[in-house]
Amino acid sequence: MGPVDLLFSSLPSHGHTYPLLPLAIAAREQGHHITYATAASFHAPLIALGFDVVDVGIDIHSAFAELAGSEVSPIEARRRDPEEVAKLAAHIFTDILPRRFFGDLQPVLAAQRFDLVVYEAATIGAAFAAKVAGVPAVCHAFGRGFDRVAAEESGTAGFAEGFVRIAEELLGPDATDLTPDNLAGGDPYLDIYPASIQAPAYRDAPNRVPLRPVAFSEPGELPDWVRAHAEPLIYLTLGTAFGDAGVLRTAIAGLAATGAKVLVAAGPTVQTEDLGDPPPSVTVEAWVPQAELLPHVDLVVHHGGSGTTLGSIAAGVPQLFLPQGADQFTNADAVTGAGAARTLRGDEVTAEAVTAAAKELLSDADVAARVAALAEEVAAMPSPAEVAARLPEFVRPVHVVPAER
């Protein structure tokens, strides 16, 4: 089969869109036509890559504001009562977002015939729209598969049942093969998580297609001293959605005491001035090109977002997790359980604890061996180019599922 028309779709955020871009880029380089469907707030980096874009869905921040009736960001919502936060998040991710993507994509798929839909695992509304349109689809992971134990800790345990409920409501109870313990369903599942630390229901699924995770970030310049890497370098970030100035200040104090150089990415939810006057060994930036940075660092201290977790694994760098919410506890448990990281949670995050954990991770030979083993496992996974070459084989006749009325 020659070039095919591909529709990619993901939630409009760094953590949900960036994991799909290496495959989309590889597919475009092989002559396939790429249309990317997500909310307009995230179109700029997609247009810069040369993709056609379609405005569908709603961004997570707007969904929080719509539900709460005010401008409430995920980080602000997290400061509320934990049970209230869990209910807010569950309703947003398993109801508001799926409905919006499902409704907005139906006319798009009716107006233009695509050969294949590639949907990000949390953008389940795109999967439902593809079924109604009779377009074959593949699910692209953004991180680790659902793990009930870690989900209980992060307050997301109800998400699995919520996804199944919305599938049955929109498609009918007999038209979906999702289960609470395997949300990939029957579509091919492009799994970017190393099998050795993947949740068993996903690792052992017959529809699993391994895909090497490749770090992506918008291009930027690194300081010369970072590239020179003349002394140990620690990278600190809490990502793009869960930044917390207090946690960052504590981590900065702890990391400065290690004697290493520290580069901090404050992210869009924290103002750099809120981090005070850092010690001379600490450099604070609003943003850094993370994909370019990771090969130059000796330790990553972070929230546990899937992109940072997998990018650090691929770069062969030990990690200190300071999980704040969402899937971050799942990633922290998986990598720490493999002996390649350490985790500090909640009140455990003190400057002294950060110093001790960082020093251990920088010097422990056993940790270094586990980190190297995970990096080798990732390097052996099929590349985005190899998987892109397989996409035409997933183009097949499918049964049209009428939407429930």
Side-chain angles (χ1 to χ4, degrees), residues 54-312:
V54 181
D55 183 11
V56 303
I58 183 175
D59 64 76
I60 299 169
H61 180 91
S62 298
F64 267 95
E66 179 179 300
L67 183 60
S70 61
E71 288 294 319
V72 180
S73 71
I75 189 67
E76 292 166 337
R78 187 162 51 87
R79 298 191 179 103
R80 299 183 175 191
D81 177 79
E83 290 188 8
E84 180 189 358
V85 172
K87 289 179 181 178
L88 275 174
H91 190 59
I92 286 166
F93 283 92
T94 69
D95 191 281
I96 292 177
L97 293 171
R99 287 184 193 277
R100 287 292 295 268
F101 275 84
F102 177 68
D104 290 353
L105 273 169
Q106 286 187 71
V108 173
L109 293 170
Q112 180 176 346
R113 183 65 191 179
F114 291 95
D115 297 300
L116 185 68
V117 171
V118 180
Y119 64 93
E120 175 249 325
T123 316
I124 201 165
F128 302 158
K131 291 182 185 300
V132 169
V135 180
V138 299
C139 179
H140 192 306
F142 68 89
R144 194 169 188 256
F146 179 76
D147 181 284
R148 193 166 296 277
V149 174
E152 290 285 352
E153 185 174 13
S154 65
T156 60
F159 280 37
E161 287 79 5
F163 279 129
V164 174
R165 280 196 302 272
I166 193 68
E168 292 177 347
E169 178 182 340
L170 296 179
L171 301 179
D174 299 325
T176 176
D177 47 12
L178 300 185
T179 68
D181 290 312
N182 190 340
L183 299 173
D187 293 329
Y189 181 68
L190 308 183
D191 188 6
I192 61 173
Y193 225 77
S196 66
I197 55 173
Q198 177 59 287
Y202 290 77
R203 179 195 63 214
D204 302 332
N207 55 329
R208 179 179 185 264
V209 179
L211 168 61
R212 185 190 311 157
V214 174
F216 177 90
S217 62
E218 295 177 56
E221 288 296 321
L222 292 174
D224 290 341
W225 62 268
V226 170
R227 294 188 179 281
H229 199 179
E231 52 193 310
L233 174 59
I234 300 173
Y235 170 48
L236 169 64
T237 181
L238 292 182
T240 57
F242 283 84
D244 185 293
V247 175
L248 285 172
R249 286 194 297 268
T250 299
I252 287 171
L255 296 176
T258 65
K261 294 278 286 184
V262 182
L263 178 60
V264 182
T269 62
V270 174
Q271 300 299 312
T272 56
E273 55 266 28
D274 292 340
L275 301 182
D277 187 15
S281 62
V282 178
T283 299
V284 176
E285 301 286 354
W287 173 87
V288 299
Q290 182 169 288
E292 299 173 38
L293 171 65
L294 289 175
H296 299 282
V297 305
D298 299 286
L299 172 66
V300 180
V301 182
H302 67 109
H303 55 307
S306 291
T308 306
T309 299
L310 291 169
S312 301

Side-chain angles (χ1 to χ4, degrees), residues 334-360:
V335 185
T336 300
R342 297 290 182 265
T343 299
L344 297 173
R345 296 175 172 82
D347 294 340
E348 296 175 345
V349 182
T350 65
E352 295 76 16
V354 169
T355 302
K359 285 183 174 180
E360 177 191 0

Side-chain angles (χ1 to χ4, degrees), residues 305-322:
S306 291
T308 306
T309 299
L310 291 169
S312 301
I313 289 174
V317 184
Q319 304 176 61
L320 172 56
F321 288 90
L322 311 175

